[in-house]
Amino acid sequence: VLPKRALEGKVFRRMVHDYNEAGEATFNQAKFDEVWPYLRVLARSSPDDKLTLAKGLNGSLLFQDKEKCMQLKETENIDIFPDRQVVAMTGDGTNDAPALKNADVGFAMGIAGTQIAK
């Protein structure tokens, strides 16, 4: 697997947050923008990881950096939408509801999914 293509939630968290001396995390959009173009699978993720992903994609202005977009296309064959990214999210539990709501498209999973997620 190529770097940054598949990440576990705990690795993703460390890559997109800054931490103070008390260990409290603060989201860093610039760090997030270095990760998300490559990311294809986010495994073992928490509902907070899903929410971070949805909000980070919605807040990304990477598409405005035409040089970076061209570099991603030429070196990695990664296309960045020219205005903003469309976010689709899956979830099955009550805790997933905020991420599903922040996504452009939310998929509530399976018969076992809670009514709130649906």
Side-chain angles (χ1 to χ4, degrees):
V1 176
L2 295 171
K4 300 181 190 174
R5 297 307 198 271
L7 297 174
E8 286 190 5
K10 64 182 177 182
V11 175
F12 171 74
R13 265 175 258 139
R14 284 195 306 264
M15 293 177 81
V16 303
H17 288 91
D18 291 323
Y19 293 88
N20 64 18
E21 290 133 11
E24 297 166 329
T26 303
F27 177 72
N28 182 316
Q29 185 70 51
K31 286 183 176 182
F32 180 84
D33 286 346
E34 290 295 319
V35 173
W36 77 257
Y38 303 94
L39 187 62
R40 299 294 174 264
V41 176
L42 184 57
R44 298 181 183 177
S45 59
S46 71
D48 284 338
D49 296 333
K50 293 179 182 184
L51 184 57
T52 297
L53 183 61
K55 285 185 172 184
L57 285 167
N58 285 329
S60 179
L61 299 177
L62 183 62
F63 65 88
Q64 293 177 346
D65 185 344
K66 301 302 179 194
E67 187 176 319
K68 178 69 173 177
C69 292
M70 188 179 303
Q71 175 195 13
L72 286 167
K73 178 64 177 168
E74 291 173 359
T75 62
E76 303 283 345
N77 199 28
I78 295 173
D79 288 310
I80 305 297
F81 288 120
D83 49 8
R84 71 180 273 291
Q85 304 311 296
V86 176
V87 181
M89 189 69 58
T90 62
D92 64 356
T94 301
N95 292 339
D96 293 325
L100 293 169
K101 184 173 180 165
N102 275 276
D104 297 300
V105 180
F107 296 97
M109 303 297 289
I111 296 169
T114 66
Q115 285 303 116
I116 292 173
K118 292 176 183 178

